[in-house]
Amino acid sequence: MTSQTAQISASTPASAPKPVRSDFVQRYSTLGVLILMFLGFSLFVDRFLTPFNLSNILQQIAILTIVGSGLTFGFAAKEIDLSVGYTVGLAGILVPLLLTMGYPLALALLAGLLAGIIVGLINGVLITKVGIPSLIATLAMGSILFGVNFLMTGGRAIYGGLPGTYLALGQGRLFGIPNLAFFMVCAVAIAWFVMERTVFGRYVYAVGGNQKAAELSGVRITFYRMAALVLVSVFAVIAGALLASRLGSGQPNVGERYLLDGLATVFIGMTMFRPGTATVLGTFCGALFIGVINNGLNLIGMDTYIQNIVKGIIILTAVAIVSRTTKLNLL
Amino acid sequence: MSVHLSDILMEFPGTRALDEVNVAFHFNEVHGLVGENGAGKSTFVNILGGSLQPTRGRITVAGTDVTLSSPRSALGHGIAHVSQEGSLVPSLTGAENIMLGVEPRHTAGIMRRGALRSEAERLLATWFPGLDLDLHRPVGDLPMADRKVIEIVRALRGDIRLLILDEPTATLEAREKKQLWGIIKRLPTKGVGVVLISHFLSEVVELSDRITVLRDGKHVGTLDRAAASEAVLTDLMLRREAGQPEAETAAPSTPADPATAPVILAVEDWAVGSVEMDAFHLRRGEIVGLIGLTGAGHFGFARSLYARQGVVRGELSVDGQPIRGSGVRVMQRAGVALVPDHRMENALAGDGTVVENLTMVHPEFAAKSGILNRSLERREADRVIKLLNVKTPNQRQLIRNLSGGNKQKVSIGKWLYGAEARYKVLIFIEPAEGVDIGAKMEIYAHMRRLAAEGAAILIASSDLGEIAQVCHRAIPFVHGRPGADIHARDFSEGQFITAITGDAA
C-alpha cells in the first residue's frame, strides 16, 4: 500500500493539479484551527465558555467584522484601502459631533453615511481616474482624514449630551444579545448576498480576478472598482457610528486600530474556503479567529502587548499561506 | 571544432517536444534551423543556450562532455543566445548596454566612464571594423538594425564560439536586413559559428552553410547549402506524417455560396498601427484566416476590430449598421466577440471558478433585477460545458487547474453562455495556442458549427496548418499590407509561405 502510493506520487509530474485531499485541507485547515482553539479555551480556561463571555466576544468583534466585510469588497476587486481606519474615525467623530450640536439622530447618521460615500468616491477617482495605485492613494488619504478628524474636535474627545437612542445602538441588548451582534449579522448577510448572489458581485470578482480579461469581456471596470471602494468606506462609517455609540463618545484616534485588525480578518479569511480569494464568510471567520484569540489570551491574563505580537504573527502566517497559492498583486 | 548535440530527447508533460535530435554546430559556419511553429526550434535552441535541460541526450563542446545547466553555464562554454524580443535597456547608451554587468570600475566600485566607452568601441571595431554606429546615444533612439548589432556585440563580449540568433531580422526593413546579413556572414570567418533561426526561408538559404530541418520535434535532416532551396525546405518542413487522418487536413466545406452570403462585418479604409486595409468584408457563414510573419500586422488588425485601440481612421459596420464610438461594449452590443491570445492574461481569471469565468460576459442571463438565480445559472453553464465538452470535475473547479485546451474552451464558452446566436462575428487570435491536438480538433469543429449556424469567424494565427484546416479563405499580410485572398481550393502551406514572405528577399 505504502509503496504503491509512493510510486504514484513519484510518477506525477510537478505541474499536475494537486490531489483533492490537499485541496480540502487547504480550504478548511484555518477553520479547523479556529475550532480547536475554541475547544481548547473552553476546556482549559474557566470563564471562557459562559453565555456572558460568548456574547462579550460577539460584542468585541462586531465592529471589526463590519469593517472587514467592507474591506472584502475592496480585496475582491484587488483594491486595498489603507484609509479605512481613519474613515471609521471620521464617522465616529462626525456623528456624535452633529448630535451634540443638536441635530436629529437620523440626520447625523445620514451625514456620516454621506461622508463615507464621499471618501470612497475620492479614493475611487484617485485610483481609477488619476491612476494612483490604491496602496499609495489610500495611504495619503488616510493621512488627510487623520488631520481632518483632529481638526473637527480640536484633538479632544466628544462626550456628554449624546441622546439615549444613539447610545442604545451600540450598548443595548435584545433578548440578552448585544445589539451590535445583530448589526454585525446584518452586515455580513448583506455583504455575503451582494458578493455571492448578485450580478454586481460577479463583476467585482471578475475585475479583481483579471482586470484585463474583465475589460475585454465588456465589464465596466472603472465603475466596479469605484463601487467596491465606496462600499469599503460605507461599511467603515457604519462601523464608526456604532463604535462611538458603544464608547459613548467620539474620539479622534480610536479608528486607527481597525486598519490592521480589519486587514487581518481579510487575510485570515483568504486562507479558507477559496484560498487566495477574499470572501465574506472567510472574513467573518477571520474576525471570529481574532476575537477568540484575543478573548482567550485576555482571560489567561496575557498582556495586551503580547496580544499585538500574537496578532502580527497570525497576519504573517496567513499572508504566507495565501502567497503560496496566489500572487498578492495589490500595488 | 564544434558543439555537438546527440540523441536529444525533450519531454514536457503530455508531449515529446524533441525526439532523438542529432546536430553538430561548427565554429566556422552559419547553421540554419527551420521548421514550422511548434516543430521544436525554440526548445532546441533553449537547450543549446542553457535555458532548458533535455530529458536525455549528450552535449559535447570541442569533444568534451558538458552540462549546460543555465544560460550562464552555456556562456561559460562559449555559447551565447540573442533572443528574438531584444534584451537591451532602451534608456542606456549602446556602450553602456554592451558593457552591462561588466562595467570597468575603480577599486571602490565607481564606474570608469571613459574606459567603458573605449572598451565598447574597441569591441565593436574588433568584430565589425568600419561599421558606423553611434554607441553614445540611448539605444531607444537607434534604428532596429543598430540595436540588433549592439545586442550581437554584447553577446560576443566574452570568449564566444557559437552565437544563436533567433529571428534576428523579424523587425527590420528590407535595407536594414541586407546590412545585418553582411554582419552575420562575417562571424564564421572570425571563428564564431552562428545558429540562425528565421521564418524567411530565402534568408536562411542565402546565409547558411548548412541547414537543419525539424518537424514535429524530429530531426528531418541536415542539408548542405548546395542541396537546399526554398522549395526543398518547404517540402521537408511540411511533409505530413503517414497515417494522419485525412479529415484533419481536409479543407472545410464551403458555405452554400460565400460570394452572395450577406456581408456581416465590413471595414473600409482602416488604418491601425502600420496596417492599412482598404476594404475587408466578412460574410455570414464564412471562416477567414489572417496570416503573416511576426510583425506583419495581422494580429493588430484583428484585435483592432474589437478593441479599437490605435485605430487612426476607418469605417466599420456590422450587419449594415455603421458602428460609431469605440470600446468593447459597443462592439459587443453590435454582436462582435473576441477570443484573445494569451488567454490567462486576456480572457480568464485563473483563481476564479469555471462558472465564474463562463458568466463573465453575461451574468445577467441568469438574474432578475441583479439577483442571481443559481439553479438557472448552473443549468446554462452546464449546457455550455456539455456543448464544448469542457473536461472539469465540476463547475466550481478553479480555472488554473484545467488543461490548456479546456481553458480555451471556457474562453470561447464565455461568448456562448446566455448568448446563443447573439454574436454574429467571432474574432479568434491564436485559437490553438497551447492546446493539445485533441482539443484543437474539437475547437475547429465548434468554429465550423458556429459558422454553419450563421456566424462569421475571423482567425488570426501563426499556425498555417490551422488556417488550412478551418478557413474558407486566407488573407496574407506582409509589412502591414494585405495581399490577395487565397481561396480554400488553392490552399497549400507552400502557397501560404510564399504569400507571407512575399517580398522578404
Side-chain angles (χ1 to χ4, degrees), chain B residues 40-63:
Chain B
K41 293 178 309 226
S42 314
T43 309
F44 191 59
V45 294
N46 278 327
I47 288 171
L48 184 57
S51 306
L52 285 175
Q53 282 66 53
T55 314
R56 257 208 326 269
R58 188 164 163 230
I59 302 172
T60 60
V61 176

Side-chain angles (χ1 to χ4, degrees), chain A residues 24-25 31-32 46 53 59 112 132 134 136 144 151 162 179 183 199 233 237 257 289 308 317:
Chain A
F24 182 85
V25 169
L31 195 61
D46 283 345
N53 189 51
Q59 177 145 15
I132 307 173
S134 61
I136 296 163
I144 292 169
L151 270 182
L162 293 173
N179 286 349
F183 285 116
V199 172
S233 299
V237 292
R257 75 181 189 90
F289 200 102
N308 277 326
T317 312

